Amino acid sequence: DHHVNYGSGSGLQDRVAFVQNDPSQYDASIHLADLQVSDTGTYKCRVKKNTVAVHEVIVTVQEKPAIPQCWTEGELIEGSSILLRCYSR
Protein backbone atom coordinates (compact mmCIF):
# COMPACT_ATOMS: atom_id res chain seq x y z
CA ASP A 1 0.00 0.00 0.00
CA HIS A 2 3.08 2.28 -0.25
CA HIS A 3 3.02 3.24 3.42
CA VAL A 4 4.47 2.24 6.78
CA ASN A 5 2.20 1.71 9.77
CA TYR A 6 4.22 2.87 12.77
CA GLY A 7 1.90 1.71 15.55
CA SER A 8 0.69 3.97 18.31
CA GLY A 9 3.27 6.08 20.13
CA SER A 10 6.20 4.16 18.69
CA GLY A 11 8.45 7.15 17.92
CA LEU A 12 9.49 5.54 14.61
CA GLN A 13 8.06 8.14 12.23
CA ASP A 14 11.34 9.99 11.67
CA ARG A 15 13.54 6.87 11.69
CA VAL A 16 11.88 4.43 9.26
CA ALA A 17 11.97 4.61 5.47
CA PHE A 18 11.63 2.26 2.53
CA VAL A 19 15.02 1.20 1.15
CA GLN A 20 13.76 1.67 -2.42
CA ASN A 21 11.76 4.78 -3.33
CA ASP A 22 9.02 2.69 -4.94
CA PRO A 23 8.17 -0.44 -2.92
CA SER A 24 5.83 -1.60 -5.69
CA GLN A 25 8.97 -2.64 -7.60
CA TYR A 26 9.12 -5.84 -5.50
CA ASP A 27 11.34 -4.55 -2.67
CA ALA A 28 9.43 -3.45 0.41
CA SER A 29 12.51 -3.52 2.66
CA ILE A 30 12.68 -0.84 5.32
CA HIS A 31 15.62 0.90 6.97
CA LEU A 32 15.38 1.59 10.71
CA ALA A 33 17.84 4.31 11.77
CA ASP A 34 19.23 5.09 15.22
CA LEU A 35 18.19 1.83 16.92
CA GLN A 36 17.00 2.15 20.50
CA VAL A 37 16.28 -0.43 23.17
CA SER A 38 12.60 0.55 22.94
CA ASP A 39 12.59 -0.62 19.28
CA THR A 40 12.67 -4.23 20.50
CA GLY A 41 9.59 -6.02 19.23
CA THR A 42 7.92 -7.92 16.43
CA TYR A 43 7.89 -6.22 13.04
CA LYS A 44 5.48 -7.36 10.35
CA CYS A 45 5.95 -6.91 6.63
CA ARG A 46 2.66 -7.13 4.72
CA VAL A 47 2.99 -7.05 0.95
CA LYS A 48 -0.11 -6.96 -1.23
CA LYS A 49 0.15 -7.36 -4.98
CA ASN A 50 -2.23 -9.98 -6.43
CA THR A 51 -2.24 -11.81 -3.11
CA VAL A 52 -1.16 -10.86 0.40
CA ALA A 53 2.09 -12.12 1.91
CA VAL A 54 2.98 -11.49 5.54
CA HIS A 55 6.32 -12.08 7.26
CA GLU A 56 7.20 -11.31 10.87
CA VAL A 57 10.68 -10.50 12.18
CA ILE A 58 11.55 -10.32 15.88
CA VAL A 59 14.10 -7.58 16.60
CA THR A 60 15.95 -7.47 19.92
CA VAL A 61 18.01 -4.37 20.63
CA GLN A 62 20.39 -4.62 23.56
CA GLU A 63 22.12 -1.80 25.39
CA LYS A 64 25.83 -1.32 24.98
CA PRO A 65 27.47 -2.39 28.24
CA ALA A 66 29.00 0.23 30.47
CA ILE A 67 32.78 0.47 30.74
CA PRO A 68 33.84 -2.06 33.39
CA GLN A 69 35.46 -1.05 36.63
CA CYS A 70 38.39 -3.35 37.50
CA TRP A 71 40.64 -3.67 40.55
CA THR A 72 42.88 -6.11 42.39
CA GLU A 73 42.57 -7.44 45.91
CA GLY A 74 45.61 -8.76 47.71
CA GLU A 75 49.28 -7.86 47.80
CA LEU A 76 51.25 -7.92 44.56
CA ILE A 77 54.07 -10.10 45.88
CA GLU A 78 55.71 -12.83 43.83
CA GLY A 79 54.35 -16.19 44.90
CA SER A 80 51.26 -14.79 46.61
CA SER A 81 47.68 -14.89 45.35
CA ILE A 82 45.61 -11.92 44.22
CA LEU A 83 42.03 -11.56 43.14
CA LEU A 84 41.23 -9.66 39.93
CA ARG A 85 37.71 -8.20 40.00
CA CYS A 86 35.70 -6.50 37.27
CA TYR A 87 32.20 -5.11 37.44
CA SER A 88 29.91 -3.55 34.85
CA ARG A 89 26.36 -2.26 35.18
Side-chain angles (χ1 to χ4, degrees), residues 27-79:
D27 186 354
S29 301
I30 61 170
H31 179 261
L32 178 54
D34 188 26
L35 280 177
Q36 301 170 12
V37 173
S38 60
D39 294 333
T40 293
T42 301
Y43 291 78
K44 185 184 295 186
C45 179
R46 181 177 174 268
V47 178
K48 180 173 75 172
K49 202 66 166 166
N50 297 329
T51 60
V52 175
V54 177
H55 184 76
E56 289 186 359
V57 176
I58 298 172
V59 174
T60 303
V61 182
Q62 298 179 339
E63 284 190 54
K64 183 171 83 172
I67 296 172
Q69 300 170 350
C70 298
W71 66 95
T72 61
E73 291 180 0
E75 290 189 58
L76 296 173
I77 300 172
E78 186 176 346

Side-chain angles (χ1 to χ4, degrees), residues 6-15 36 39:
Y6 301 101
S8 60
S10 66
L12 293 173
Q13 288 82 349
D14 297 329
R15 299 186 295 121
Q36 301 170 12
D39 294 333

